[in-house]
Every structure is written in structure tokens, then in C-alpha cells.
Amino acid sequence: MRNSAGVVAVTVIAAVIAGCSGSSSGAHSGSGSTAPVRANPAPTESNPPGDIPDNQVYVAYRPTSGFTGFTVKVPEGWARTDKGGATVFTDKLNSVTITTATASTAPTVTSVKNTVVPQLSRQMTKFASPKVSQVTRKAGAVALLTYQGDSAKGPVTGKVVRDAFERYAFYQQGHEVDLTLSGPVNADNVDPWRTVSDSFSWR
């Protein structure tokens, strides 16, 4: 009887040890299977606010009302609004604004300084750093006015952005087309703005 009891006791102890070992192993295995996986973080925007992506696609805009004698490329996918005789394409912090007018003479550096600069200084909040020059684009010689000003408050955030502007005044046979490109001061949009301004052509 003692030998039988001893055998039973040894068997029970062995079973308990095996059970504990299995439980410990199972817990370890379970812990390993549920450990968080270190996934790569989602890619973030590497460009500063307002930078237009290098892979931006441009499409031709041809007005169908008012003066229709020109075409210009604008960034594809930007929202378009028509207001007060101006056509505006916007995306986030950038915009392309197109206006037309009749004029008896072509805009010059002097005429822009004497008429456009004072007008903008009255209309724009914190208008500053106006500089007028004559530059050449594919459409020919054009008067260029660069300046800075505060944007209107964002409709959602209420944030005001300091913007940089390039205003090109194209002229042909009594028609003036003003092309204004704007975005945050620190954005690097030299190449996109050159693409847009170089694409302007008369038709």
C-alpha cells in the first residue's frame, strides 16, 4: 500500500509540475503573440506649409465668358470660384487669381507703381514690400509686381497667414489680363509659379 501511495503521490506531483510548466509556457506564448507590432509610421508631409508638390499636374484654363482671348495652365484639382469679375483657383494656402480689363496702353513699371500699388495698399491688410519690374515670359514682356500682405482669417481656424504675391500684367491690343499667384511667405513655389506664368498665351 505504501508503494502504491508513493507512486500516486509522485504521479500527482509530476502532473502538477507539468501543468504549471505548461501554464507558464502558454502564458509566455500568449504574451508574445499579443505584443504590439512596431509598424512603420505613416508618411508625413515633408514640405513646408504652402509648398506645391513637385508632381503637381497642370491643366489649361480657357474662359468661356467675358474676354476669352487667352489660355493659362492652372494646377489640376484646385477649387474654382468666380466672384466679382475674378476667377480664383485655390488649394489650402495657395491661390491663382485671374482678372481681365480693357486698357488703352500696356502696363509699365511706372504705371503699376503709380496706380496698382496705392490701390493695393488701401485694400490689403498690412500691405508691404512692393517691388515692380519688367520680366519676360513666353507670352512676351510683362509687368511684374511682387508684394506681401495678410490673408483673410481662415473660416474654420480663424488663422491669418502672411502671404507673398506675384502679380503679372499681360497686355495685347487693348486687353489686359492680370494673373496673381499667392501663397505663404516661406513656401518655395518658384517653379510652380513659373510654370503657370510661362503657360499664359493669347489666342
Side-chain angles (χ1 to χ4, degrees), residues 23-139:
S23 174
S24 174
S25 174
H28 177 73
S29 175
S31 174
S33 64
T34 58
V37 178
R38 292 182 176 275
N40 291 329
T44 58
E45 178 59 54
S46 60
N47 296 327
D51 268 19
I52 299 172
D54 291 338
N55 61 352
Q56 174 66 57
V57 177
Y58 299 84
V59 294
Y61 164 69
R62 299 179 179 88
T64 56
S65 61
F67 176 62
T68 61
F70 68 94
T71 182
V72 63
K73 287 184 178 180
V74 297
E76 184 179 42
W78 287 23
R80 173 184 167 180
T81 57
D82 295 286
K83 183 178 180 181
T87 299
V88 184
F89 296 88
T90 57
D91 179 70
K92 299 175 183 176
L93 301 176
N94 299 302
S95 69
V96 175
T97 302
I98 304 166
T99 59
T100 63
T102 56
S104 57
T105 59
T108 64
V109 170
T110 300
S111 68
V112 172
K113 285 181 178 179
N114 292 340
T115 59
V116 179
V117 170
Q119 182 181 25
L120 288 174
S121 67
R122 293 190 298 268
Q123 296 174 344
M124 176 162 288
T125 303
K126 295 184 180 179
F127 175 82
S129 305
K131 181 181 178 181
V132 188
S133 60
Q134 180 174 305
V135 297
T136 301
R137 291 296 182 263
K138 290 183 178 179

Side-chain angles (χ1 to χ4, degrees), residues 130-187:
K131 181 181 178 181
V132 188
S133 60
Q134 180 174 305
V135 297
T136 301
R137 291 296 182 263
K138 290 183 178 179
V142 57
L144 169 63
L145 167 62
T146 60
Y147 56 97
Q148 295 182 8
D150 283 357
S151 70
K153 288 185 178 180
V156 177
T157 64
K159 184 179 179 180
V160 175
V161 177
R162 188 65 175 169
D163 284 335
F165 296 81
E166 295 181 10
R167 181 184 183 275
Y168 297 85
F170 295 91
Y171 177 85
Q172 185 181 70
Q173 298 177 351
H175 295 284
E176 181 178 336
V177 178
D178 295 324
L179 176 66
T180 303
L181 316 173
S182 68
V185 167
N186 292 327

